[in-house]
Amino acid sequence: MHVTPSYDEIVRAPKALLHDHLDGGLRPATIVELAAEIGHELPATEPEALGRWFVEAADSGSLERYLETFAHTVAVMQTAPALRRVARECALDLAADGVVYAEVRYAPEQHLTAGLTLPQVVEAVLEGFAEGSAAAAERGTPIRIGTLLTAMRHAARSMEIAELSTAYRDAGVVGFDIAGAEAGYPPTRHLDAFEYLKRENFHFTIHAGEAFGLPSIWQALQWCGADRLGHGVRIVDDIDPHTRTLGRLAGYVRDKRIPLELCPSSNVQTGAATSIAEHPIGLLRDLRFRVTLNTDNRLMSGTSMSREMALLVDAFGWGWPELQWLTVNAMKSAFIPFDERLALINEVIKPAYAKLL
Ligand SMILES: [Zn+2]
């Protein structure tokens, strides 16, 4: 029997999220308040209108307008109290949406303009996640959050950020990431950072195969040694659409169970996919790639994990088996230790879906 999950049921079902940007998920009302405190000018000062502005700017197809959205969020995240608040609210919002495990990423180097040091940035965010997680547990919606520290592709601080990541590995930082424009900034520019992380037995993911195609994915995996692919959606360019035959790179990604951090709504906004219905996630699921579902930037996409799931239920007729599969895939691919992943799968996720299936 096929049961169509309702939106409310999806919210209550446990979910796992691996790709969510801290500076892409602020509450509009918080941006308004923090901007007023520091005298930062916003395109709208009423929270609802501001929220709409973010989605419209990200929808516009203009890279300039898309980047402008982050200029506003990053501008209000330059002090320890502001970072702590944004992180606390992030934990609360994800937990209220039924997310039980999340890896949230941000680039510490973008939060130094008011004089914070890199360690002060990391500590403020970790404190905010701890406060938010504690409050969420009290509300009966426990969440575990792991932090990923991001280095920017176009900058030259990746080694410093890699060292920062391992310095805080026992305090909640579980991985490292490289983000920013793919074209012209290959991940191989940061090889020393990746080699350092491998020597330290640390985990990392790389934004690759979003706007840019297969060479970017190939470099991330075969030169840099990424554990996961941030997006990786263009791997479909190595799959014959008619015969579904895999090329060598797509075959490698599937054989090695390389997790794909797919973000459907974000991909549609940036043009990496034409629509949700035509998003490659359907094909990649059919071919049993290690597919995970993610939000990327909840504010800019006006989305949540539940909304992303609901969109797939509508577009592909997916039911609980597929939603559980996505959730277990994400947990299997998380950067926390194996025994802790297994505990979440066996004690939280599977029992909850067993009641829904
Ligand atoms: Zn991203």
Side-chain angles (χ1 to χ4, degrees):
M1 187 185 67
H2 181 81
V3 182
T4 300
S6 74
Y7 189 81
D8 288 346
E9 288 170 327
I10 293 174
V11 172
R12 286 197 299 274
K15 291 171 286 294
L17 169 56
L18 302 180
H19 189 134
D20 187 79
H21 292 264
L22 186 65
D23 51 327
L26 287 77
R27 297 176 184 173
T30 299
I31 301 173
V32 170
E33 283 181 37
L34 292 175
E37 280 173 23
I38 58 167
H40 175 80
E41 203 177 316
L42 292 169
T45 51
E46 190 277 314
E48 216 170 284
L50 184 64
R52 271 199 309 277
W53 178 85
F54 273 99
V55 175
E56 282 167 16
D59 264 340
S60 69
S62 146
L63 184 65
E64 221 162 85
R65 285 192 69 193
Y66 191 74
L67 294 179
E68 192 194 337
T69 61
F70 287 96
H72 290 298
T73 57
V74 168
V76 302
M77 297 166 71
Q78 297 298 332
T79 66
L83 283 165
R84 214 167 63 222
R85 174 175 177 179
V86 169
R88 182 177 68 239
E89 292 176 352
C90 169
L92 285 169
D93 291 351
L94 292 176
D97 187 43
V99 175
V100 295
Y101 178 79
E103 288 177 9
V104 180
R105 62 187 76 192
Y106 67 98
E109 67 199 71
Q110 294 191 305
H111 303 277
L112 307 177
T113 60
L116 289 179
T117 62
L118 289 172
Q120 285 171 334
V121 171
V122 175
E123 283 164 27
V125 173
L126 287 170
E127 279 170 30
F129 283 146
E131 287 172 15
S133 305
E138 262 173 49
R139 292 178 192 182
T141 53
I143 182 168
R144 163 104 189 251
I145 295 196
T147 303
L148 308 187
L149 298 188
T150 295
M152 302 307 292
R153 298 176 94 102
H154 56 270
R157 299 189 82 151
S158 49
M159 189 61 193
E160 207 178 341
I161 303 302
E163 287 171 346
L164 190 67
S165 306
T166 58
Y168 284 90
R169 66 192 303 172
D170 294 323
V173 175
V174 301
F176 173 83
D177 164 50
I178 292 261
E182 281 181 75
Y185 298 103
T188 43
R189 290 174 86 233
H190 307 283
L191 274 187
D192 55 343
F194 300 126
E195 277 159 14
Y196 163 80
L197 292 167
K198 281 188 265 186
R199 285 198 303 278
E200 292 293 322
N201 304 304
F202 202 59
H203 303 290
F204 58 96
T205 176
I206 298 179
H207 275 76
E210 179 185 12
F212 214 60
L214 298 174
S216 180
I217 294 176
W218 175 73
Q219 284 192 347
L221 294 176
Q222 313 303 17
W223 284 84
C224 307
D227 296 279
R228 306 194 308 234
L229 292 169
H231 296 283
V233 63
R234 294 321 317 159
I235 196 66
V236 289
D237 297 343
D238 201 32
I239 303 172
D240 186 300
H242 306 294
T243 63
R244 296 192 164 191
T245 308
L246 307 192
R248 293 204 193 279
L249 181 60
Y252 181 90
V253 167
R254 189 173 69 166
D255 292 345
K256 296 279 274 188
R257 317 306 299 140
I258 308 280
L260 304 174
E261 303 165 0
L262 298 180
C263 311
S265 290
S266 171
N267 289 161
V268 172
Q269 282 183 304
T270 60
T274 47
S275 68
I276 299 288
E278 283 166 61
H279 193 280
I281 195 168
L283 173 65
L284 294 167
R285 143 87 199 173
D286 287 351
L287 294 172
R288 311 291 297 187
F289 278 76
R290 174 70 68 81
V291 169
T292 72
L293 179 66
N294 301 276
T295 48
D296 208 9
N297 299 296
R298 286 172 285 119
L299 172 66
M300 289 75 180
S301 297
T303 200
S304 64
M305 270 305 278
S306 295
R307 181 172 172 276
E308 292 300 303
M309 282 187 166
L311 288 171
L312 299 178
V313 165
D314 280 351
F316 298 106
W318 286 1
W320 293 116
E322 288 84 2
L323 301 187
Q324 175 176 254
W325 179 77
L326 290 168
T327 306
V328 171
N329 274 352
M331 260 346 290
K332 283 180 176 172
S333 313
F335 286 161
I336 55 170
F338 176 71
D339 52 345
E340 296 171 36
R341 284 183 263 154
L342 218 52
L344 275 165
I345 292 173
N346 290 331
E347 291 161 28
V348 178
I349 293 166
K350 285 195 170 165
Y353 280 89
K355 292 185 195 151
L356 297 162
L357 283 166

